[in-house]
Amino acid sequence: MNRPTSAARGAIALSVLTALLAFAAPASAGFSPGAKTLGDPIIPQVGNGGYDVKKYEIDLSYDPVTNRFLAGTKTLIVAKATQGLSRFSLDFQRDLAIDGVEVDGADASYSRADAKPKLSSNPEVTQPAKLTIKPPTGLARGSKFSVVVAYHGEPKAIVDADTSFEGWVQACSSPGDCDGSFTVNEPIGAQSWFPANNHPSDKAKLRLATTAPAAYTAIGSGKQVSRVDNGDGTATTTWAENKPMATYLATGTVGRFDVEQGTMTDHTDGTEIPTFTAIDSAGPQQRKDEVATAAMRIPEMVNFLARKFGSYPFETVGLVADWVPAVGYALENQTKPHFSGDEEGPQVDDSTLAHELSHQWMGDSISPANWSTIWFNEGWATFSEVLFDNKVDGAEMTPRKFFKAVYEIKPKYWKIAPAKLDGDPANLFDGVAVYNRPGAMLEGLREIIGNKRFFAFAHDLNDRHGYGNISRGEFVGEAKRASGLHGGKLKRLGRYLRQWLLWQKRPHLTPSDF
Ligand SMILES: [Zn+2]
């Protein structure tokens, strides 16, 4: 079923014929190639036009010893055409060999190329790639279609513009001591292990079935559906995330873990939520005990946040504490935040756990419309972390003090506007522009409109944008609507938000101007 366009003369001849037929009947044809970009202002190399993904079904056959995907690995994508499509593209790195592509059960030709333009002038940075698929017949606008891509080989971690690692990262506690994968996909890592419309604006359900040696734990997003012993030393574990998910929040982590499962109650609506905690088995016992103690605070944190933002949005909650110091950060993977630990072992600190859990509402359920809206995720998570540390754990830094401290930051740190990031993907995780400044902006908004209206606003955002996306314009509109302000003060609030999100210098307006 594999038929690369570049090598198959028959396919070329057929495409010429198809083009001639299309030319002969322009009124009924209406098929054109989908765009190879969604025009993201920070990462235009990812995202593809002409279709909307409804679900991914990924089957991985994985050998954690060699870190390779074996024969039988494939991804099924069900999508809806939003235009008549003569061909379309997916985001998928070229490290993995493709065994075949089918569209609606029929062999399809394909080609692979680097995405354009160049992401970074640093040669260490991974250039995103495209898989372009030409179905045997055009896909009618509005029709549902399925794509199956079969592949194998060794997935390579992605090196981001800021030189951090993401995607399918081999999980090594020290060089050469590796036990599987630590999967963290923000912003583009998903395309290192499955073909996707890899942009946060195209959210979809995702099911993952991983076949791996039975001694390993294979983790996915959402809830575990089944675990089948294959009788040959391997087991297949299937997970399903039934709520829409951005590809950057998916996980496929495999390793040797101590797993704890239980349930917790969301007291805002009485829902019982299954919990799942996985701690790297190889970690020192003291570190494992400390992580287990931190994980026991998940119910308390989820309830604290649910009172502020609305009921917990997903079917399961938990964490994965791996031992992969080369990664060096935590990520809010949907339903299971991931922690990479440090040289000494797995590690989860309470503040960071509150931060990653707050993302389940702000970032995961309400996802950014594009990568220049990442200030929304990190602003809320920074604010939540400060609030939790102060209100629950008694930290001296109140949200008010936090605002003041941020406003004192030296002028040079205000040059990057949160909602622009100079168009540079290396600024995607800038500490001031993406975390502290938007966090302070939200605290300022709380001081301007008051606690009651502010947290009603947070609830409203979840009611109106949960399981979807939010743009800067939508956020500003919602904030103004929720403010209860009128006339000159409402206009001033608009200016306040614009200054805090768009100015390339320290904003003039602060809560004391209201
Ligand atoms: Zn965060």
Side-chain angles (χ1 to χ4, degrees), residues 456-474:
F457 165 56
H459 275 76
D460 277 359
L461 288 175
N462 280 280
D463 288 346
R464 296 155 73 100
H465 297 273
Y467 310 121
N469 295 85
I470 196 162
S471 66
R472 174 171 56 87
E474 287 167 334

Side-chain angles (χ1 to χ4, degrees), residues 445-465:
L445 179 64
R446 189 187 70 84
E447 293 175 27
I448 292 164
I449 69 177
N451 235 15
K452 206 174 157 192
R453 283 189 184 276
F454 179 76
F455 288 109
F457 165 56
H459 275 76
D460 277 359
L461 288 175
N462 280 280
D463 288 346
R464 296 155 73 100
H465 297 273

Side-chain angles (χ1 to χ4, degrees), residues 11 121 135 150 217 239 243 303 443:
S121 55
T217 301
W239 293 80
K243 301 290 188 191
N303 274 291
E443 164 56 15

